[in-house]
Amino acid sequence: MIEQLAHVGYAGLTMDSVAATAHTGKATIYRRWSNKAELVVDALDNTLPSPDELPEGDSVREDLIELMREKATVLNSPVGRAVQSLLAEIDRDRPFMGIVIDRVVAPRQDVFWRILERGAERGEVREGSISPLVVGIGPAMMVQRFLSDPSPVPDELLVSVVDDLILPLIRP
């Protein structure tokens, strides 16, 4: 289903095509998901790395870089192309995008917050430096690069975002 979404976009995805690809009937699909939005959100949530698992490096820097690499791996995959197709829906289907943000994006962005809080507990992050702006820098830079350049997100960019943007804002 993710490959279909990447290929035809959200608007072009139909329950008929999902059922055909899954070699099942549409009724079977509708027993589990009442509409296309629920199906897509569940597929993304189950395909993306779990927001419950934090990297376990020896420093906040290592943890942030590992998390950024994990996110880049997703963006550089068919899942990333599916996410890109969903971004076209931002203006067309705001209720759907609200569900995507609430159930898929926000929990995964919260991982950045938790990494920084853990770093603060270890004395690596200055008190009062964690904010929504700081937490959003990494994801925002990756998405901007992802949308402006179709080539894979390079590792050098990820390390630079952590070293040159995030760490100077949070260091004690």
Side-chain angles (χ1 to χ4, degrees), residues 3 12 18 28 32 40 62 66 69 76 83 103-105 118 126 143 169-170:
E3 290 80 16
V18 171
T28 302
R32 173 105 192 240
V40 168
E62 284 180 30
E66 182 179 334
R69 284 178 175 149
N76 294 335
V83 168
R103 288 199 32 216
V104 179
V105 176
R118 188 172 64 191
R126 187 178 71 254
V143 168
L169 293 172
I170 63 169

Side-chain angles (χ1 to χ4, degrees), residues 15-129:
M15 297 299 254
D16 286 327
S17 66
V18 171
T21 301
H23 306 292
T24 191
K26 214 166 53 166
T28 302
I29 303 289
Y30 277 113
R31 274 196 289 276
R32 173 105 192 240
W33 299 279
S34 63
N35 58 49
K36 178 170 68 169
E38 289 179 13
L39 170 66
V40 168
V41 168
D42 274 357
L44 285 174
D45 192 37
N46 289 316
T47 303
L48 294 171
S50 170
D52 297 328
E53 297 176 24
L54 290 177
E56 293 292 334
D58 292 331
S59 69
V60 70
R61 179 184 184 272
E62 284 180 30
D63 292 346
L64 289 171
I65 290 172
E66 182 179 334
L67 183 61
M68 295 282 285
R69 284 178 175 149
E70 180 181 278
K71 294 193 175 306
T73 298
V74 170
L75 289 178
N76 294 335
S77 74
V79 176
R81 287 186 291 283
V83 168
Q84 196 170 34
S85 78
L86 292 179
L87 294 175
E89 299 301 317
I90 288 174
D91 288 332
R92 285 187 277 205
D93 194 341
R94 290 199 182 264
F96 168 64
M97 287 311 296
I99 294 168
V100 171
I101 290 168
D102 289 345
R103 288 199 32 216
V104 179
V105 176
R108 285 161 178 84
Q109 190 164 6
D110 187 56
V111 175
F112 281 91
W113 197 284
R114 293 180 6 234
I115 287 172
L116 294 174
E117 285 179 333
R118 188 172 64 191
E121 291 169 6
R122 295 190 301 220
E124 298 176 77
V125 174
R126 187 178 71 254
E127 187 176 324
S129 66

